Amino acid sequence: MLILVTNDDGVRSFGLRSLASALSELGQVVVVAPDRNRSAVGHALTLEHPLRAEEIKPQVFAVDGTPTDCVNLGIHGLLPHRPDLVVSGINCGSNMGDDVSYSGTVCAALEATLMGLPAFAVSLDTDQFSTENLALATSFSKKLAQMIIQKGLPDETFLNVNIPSGPCSGIQLTRQGKRHYGESVVCNQDPRGRNYYWIGGSEVGFEDIPGSDCNALQQGAISVTPLRTNMTNEKTYADMERWSFDSIVGVI
Ligand code: MN
């Protein structure tokens, strides 16, 4: 059993260490993670410059790239063979609703799934890790890893897991919800008198959608959302078959 562990908070994150330690009870764990915090880089892949991977401890690699780079380097270069499972996290902060496309944590699991490997992302709904709030996230991650190893996951499918930081009211199978963010961009001046801009991005709420990841966390439950890599909207596809593209072909 070989498990690749990565994250987007960086190789020094307590969440990653706790996760890797727990999963090492299930098999061999290799950590390949960014050398610094790369949160919100999404599914970015580095193509314009070479990457370095420093083995800072046995089986722990710090990479000067993105979480998606780490999954690529791990599977194609650093691991002795293809892993049986890829786990990304434990992220400091939840990744629900619209977050999944921004999140380096979630997109590392997405990348592993595109490579045909079972994977899940796990995030903890907190600003700061503590021994207490990490305990639940870590033990649940280990149990879920065991389940995935036993049951497998369908092709093109991975799991996005969010863990409450307080008392846990249960485990809910959920759908991706809808978060609302403030649209503030702060404009200020640097010491040389030039404008700089800083995207605010603070959450102002979420849509009340029963069965969603956001609602589950509000109810104090662990949220498990199956996500797919193929984003084709089948309903719209069927509707758009009635569009007459032929008329455009006549113009171009
Ligand atoms: Mn992060």
Side-chain angles (χ1 to χ4, degrees):
M1 180 62 53
L2 179 63
I3 303 171
L4 170 61
V5 172
T6 190
N7 75 348
D8 76 358
D9 291 341
V11 72
R12 292 179 194 81
S13 161
F14 289 119
L16 174 111
R17 287 189 207 176
S18 181
L19 177 67
S21 170
L23 294 179
S24 69
E25 295 162 23
L26 304 179
Q28 182 190 357
V29 169
V30 180
V31 173
V32 185
D35 62 357
R36 70 201 79 167
N37 192 329
R38 301 301 301 267
S39 293
V41 298
H43 199 198
L45 185 63
T46 302
L47 298 176
E48 292 296 317
H49 62 79
L51 295 167
R52 306 280 181 186
E54 185 189 354
E55 190 167 13
I56 57 174
K57 286 194 296 189
Q59 306 296 296
V60 177
F61 295 88
V63 176
D64 59 346
T66 67
T68 292
D69 294 333
C70 291
V71 172
N72 269 275
L73 255 64
I75 290 165
H76 295 307
L78 302 172
L79 269 63
H81 54 85
R82 271 169 74 84
D84 301 284
L85 178 68
V86 178
V87 187
S88 178
I90 297 167
N91 189 64
C92 186
S94 60
N95 279 306
M96 305 186 290
D98 303 357
D99 300 338
V100 301
S101 49
Y102 295 113
S103 166
T105 308
V106 175
C107 289
L110 164 63
E111 180 67 4
T113 309
L114 292 172
M115 293 181 168
L117 295 164
F120 70 94
V122 56
S123 305
L124 179 55
D125 188 25
T126 183
D127 294 333
Q128 198 164 13
F129 288 134
S130 68
T131 312
E132 292 74 28
N133 66 22
L134 263 180
L136 172 68
T138 303
S139 62
F140 183 78
S141 300
K142 183 183 163 191
K143 291 197 173 104
L144 183 64
Q146 284 175 306
M147 287 181 91
I148 293 173
I149 289 164
Q150 282 172 8
K151 297 171 188 292
L153 284 172
D155 288 345
E156 303 185 347
T157 304
F158 62 106
L159 303 182
N160 182 35
V161 178
N162 283 280
I163 312 270
S165 58
C168 180
S169 66
I171 302 161
Q172 291 185 21
L173 187 61
T174 58
R175 294 184 171 85
Q176 184 184 345
K178 179 78 187 159
R179 251 180 167 172
H180 294 158
Y181 286 97
E183 292 175 358
S184 65
V185 171
V186 175
C187 176
N188 223 320
Q189 282 203 330
D190 72 15
R192 294 186 180 83
R194 296 174 302 184
N195 286 346
Y196 68 81
Y197 302 89
W198 205 320
I199 296 172
S202 60
E203 188 191 5
V204 293
F206 62 90
E207 277 182 32
D208 179 16
I209 304 170
S212 69
D213 46 12
C214 300
N215 282 44
L217 267 282
Q218 193 189 39
Q219 293 159 18
I222 293 174
S223 164
V224 180
T225 313
L227 295 177
R228 61 191 305 169
T229 56
N230 188 323
M231 293 193 277
T232 307
N233 185 326
E234 293 296 340
K235 183 182 179 306
T236 305
Y237 185 98
D239 293 344
M240 287 185 69
E241 284 188 304
R242 290 194 292 276
W243 291 27
S244 49
F245 285 125
D246 288 350
S247 62
I248 302 174
V249 172
V251 175
I252 58 178

